[in-house]
Amino acid sequence: MRKKRKRGGPIACSCSSPAAAPSLESRRAAWTGMGRAAPFCAAARAEQERRCCRRPSSPLPAVAVFFSLGLLLHAGDCQLQTPCRIQKCTTDFVSLTAHLNSAIDGFDLEFCKALRAYSACTYRNSKVCRGNLVYHSAVLGISDLMSQRNCSKDGPTSSTNPEVTHDPCNYNGRHGARDHRGGEQTPPTYLFCGLFGDPHLRTFRDHFQTCKVEGAWPLIDNNYLSVQVTNVPVVPGSSATATNKITIIFKSYQDCTDQKVYQAVTDDLPAAFVDGTTSGGDGDTKSLRIVERVSGRYVEMHAKYIGTTVFVRQLGRYLTLAIRMPEELVMAYEESQDLQLCVNGCPTSERIDNSGHLPLPVMAQALTHGASSQTRNMYTLENASTKCHEKMLVKDIYFHSCVFDLLTTGDANFTAAAHSALQDVEALHPRKERWHIFPSSGYIGQGNGLSLSLGLVCFMLVVFL
């Protein structure tokens, strides 16, 4: 009696001629009723017969044997399995949130939308991913993040298809749609520029300079935005200046906004543009708006249509500015617009620092009138360092700038200005590893002990004689 072959066992090689091949009716009967997986089973059997009947010139490699066995086992099961796509869900979530900044207004709304989209994606894959540890970790992580951000389970979700949600007045949406058409999605590159103190400039390329630049100077002047600052001397006899006026022009862009001008001067930091409005653009979601954080002291401007954020503060008698802007828009300017401090830094003739070193400003204090020198708070290098270290624990370029400003002006408000400038970097600068800049060696007259001693001697002679 012929024994029945067990299901899933090896298939005997039959290298008969084409004439001995089974008829179409018998082949149809062999897979009729086996469901949608039957064609795969037939393909597997054909692949096995092809491999068995072929006469190789050399022994079959082991890997081919394992491949054939795998086909047989799969053919025996006759089931197709949909792959777990949790990695795609995670990649989409990262793409939706890569450009977000927790310090920017509206972060929670966009982050929650992305989380809900992530959650919906994991739900669609719940059956095929039920044995996947990465999937279960993602589900728990989503739940934790939604609790931390107080996100509701019901609500709008971010779309992973930028073509569907393309908003011409949303820079991130336009950028994403363009990348999607190009077949590759990459978040936009953002740059940071800041100005504070006497004044200290951090350019879009993270170069740090201390400049004179007395009078009106352009920080930014491109096709989308213009920023101009006016600086005045802070101490008689010193070349150091500080900012007492800032003018910002948001240029008109398509139907997103008309031209808007913002102007701040000492003791007048308005929460509106010069035309009295607080926003630009139509609809509930404004493409440009002003947010007042501290009345008369701190305002933010959010220009969604150009992906730009501006912080303006008043500390003491002077103003500070910090800006974050997409690189491609920063570089969109004509050849005639090349005088931009944020782009190219200060002209050499306007630099106070010399190759990264600031002169000790004791002579500037010595040259002031006797009456003012008695009333103004005087700092030595040691107690100025102590004062700045109270606010800034890391002795980076912001710490050293604080010390220089205290020695130059004797005004403790410059300590707050340096500290706030560092906070603005942490809020707006896209790369955390570049937040702190460290001077290569002694920054304030510390590289030459003889000149420091002579300076102090001269200062004492002027004061007491």
Side-chain angles (χ1 to χ4, degrees):
M1 181 180 296
R2 192 174 74 181
K3 295 183 180 179
K4 293 183 179 180
R5 179 173 58 84
K6 292 184 180 180
R7 186 173 181 269
I11 299 174
C13 291
S14 175
C15 299
S16 57
S17 63
S23 65
L24 176 64
E25 288 75 9
S26 64
R27 278 184 285 163
R28 181 180 295 113
W31 58 264
T32 297
M34 293 179 68
R36 296 175 64 185
F40 181 88
C41 298
R45 187 175 296 277
E47 173 67 13
Q48 171 65 11
E49 289 176 354
R50 183 182 67 78
R51 290 177 176 275
C52 287
C53 298
R54 185 177 61 188
R55 293 182 179 180
S57 56
S58 59
L60 189 67
V63 66
V65 175
F66 286 124
F67 176 77
S68 300
L69 289 175
L71 277 173
L72 288 174
L73 291 174
H74 198 107
D77 293 339
C78 291
Q79 294 179 356
L80 284 177
Q81 293 189 9
T82 303
C84 174
R85 298 176 62 83
I86 185 60
Q87 187 63 39
K88 177 65 166 58
C89 297
T90 303
T91 301
D92 288 344
F93 174 72
V94 171
S95 176
L96 290 169
T97 57
H99 65 280
L100 299 179
N101 188 312
S102 59
I104 305 303
D105 190 56
F107 168 82
D108 287 336
L109 175 64
E110 294 300 322
F111 193 79
C112 287
K113 287 167 63 177
L115 272 177
R116 283 190 286 267
Y118 193 9
S119 179
C121 186
T122 58
Y123 178 78
R124 291 192 298 270
N125 286 271
S126 58
K127 290 184 178 180
V128 294
C129 295
R130 61 177 177 266
N132 189 303
L133 292 178
V134 175
Y135 163 79
H136 290 288
S137 297
V139 171
L140 291 174
I142 292 169
S143 178
D144 289 342
L145 285 173
M146 293 188 79
S147 297
Q148 293 173 18
R149 294 289 174 182
N150 294 321
C151 301
S152 61
K153 293 184 177 180
D154 298 322
T157 61
S158 299
S159 172
T160 56
N161 183 2
E163 296 292 344
V164 177
T165 59
H166 173 46
D167 179 359
C169 294
N170 185 324
Y171 174 78
N172 291 316
R174 295 198 311 272
H175 188 277
R178 184 180 61 205
D179 283 351
H180 185 267
R181 290 192 294 270
E184 181 180 355
Q185 294 190 24
T186 56
T189 300
Y190 288 92
L191 302 178
F192 172 88
C193 179
L195 185 77
F196 70 98
D198 276 352
H200 307 288
L201 170 71
R202 180 168 182 158
T203 72
F204 281 130
R205 298 305 177 190
D206 290 325
H207 298 153
F208 201 93
Q209 302 172 353
T210 299
C211 310
K212 294 179 287 188
V213 289
E214 183 177 349
W217 288 79
L219 284 185
I220 299 170
D221 185 19
N222 55 50
N223 297 339
Y224 304 91
L225 182 73
S226 291
V227 180
Q228 179 177 281
V229 296
T230 302
N231 303 314
V232 295
V234 291
V235 174
S238 171
S239 58
T241 64
T243 304
N244 71 344
K245 182 179 180 180
I246 296 175
T247 303
I248 304 172
I249 301 175
F250 294 91
K251 300 178 181 180
S252 60
Y253 182 80
Q254 298 181 2
D255 295 327
C256 301
T257 183
D258 295 328
Q259 178 171 291
K260 293 288 182 179
V261 180
Y262 178 84
Q263 191 169 90
V265 296
T266 297
D267 295 332
D268 185 12
L269 197 68
F273 296 106
V274 294
D275 62 2
T277 62
T278 59
S279 61
D282 299 325
D284 296 332
T285 305
K286 303 296 184 181
S287 59
L288 171 63
R289 60 198 184 93
I290 294 179
V291 179
E292 186 176 54
R293 295 302 185 189
V294 180
S295 179
R297 293 289 168 179
Y298 173 26
V299 298
E300 297 178 0
M301 279 155 272
H302 301 272
K304 186 173 67 172
Y305 70 102
I306 53 175
T308 297
T309 302
V310 183
F311 291 177
V312 178
R313 303 175 187 262
Q314 178 174 335
L315 294 144
R317 298 287 302 162
Y318 302 105
L319 307 176
T320 70
L321 180 136
I323 184 168
R324 165 187 165 113
M325 192 173 191
E327 181 178 25
E328 66 171 349
L329 304 190
V330 166
M331 304 309 295
Y333 61 88
E334 306 299 328
E335 187 176 347
S336 60
Q337 299 170 294
D338 62 338
L339 182 57
Q340 302 180 59
L341 302 190
C342 277
V343 176
N344 298 314
C346 298
T348 304
S349 60
E350 296 292 328
R351 295 276 295 272
I352 295 178
D353 63 299
N354 181 18
S355 300
H357 295 275
L358 281 171
L360 190 70
V362 291
M363 293 306 296
Q365 295 187 10
L367 291 172
T368 58
H369 296 293
S372 61
S373 67
Q374 296 297 323
T375 58
R376 196 172 69 251
N377 188 15
M378 307 299 289
Y379 284 92
T380 65
L381 184 59
E382 182 179 357
N383 57 28
S385 299
T386 301
K387 181 70 174 178
C388 292
H389 193 56
E390 293 174 1
K391 290 282 188 179
M392 287 159 287
L393 300 180
V394 179
K395 292 188 177 182
D396 61 359
I397 205 75
Y398 291 90
F399 167 84
H400 290 291
S401 298
C402 171
V403 173
F404 175 82
D405 292 352
L406 284 183
L407 292 174
T408 300
T409 68
D411 185 351
N413 287 307
F414 282 96
T415 304
H419 182 243
S420 295
L422 181 56
Q423 288 181 316
D424 291 344
V425 169
E426 294 173 354
L428 297 178
H429 198 293
R431 300 182 62 177
K432 185 175 181 179
E433 70 274 13
R434 293 188 178 180
W435 287 357
H436 298 283
I437 299 175
F438 296 92
S440 57
S441 58
Y443 189 64
I444 305 177
Q446 297 173 6
N448 191 333
L450 178 60
S451 62
L452 173 59
S453 300
L454 290 174
L456 289 173
V457 170
C458 292
F459 170 66
M460 296 300 292
L461 287 174
V462 172
V463 171
F464 292 103
L465 297 179

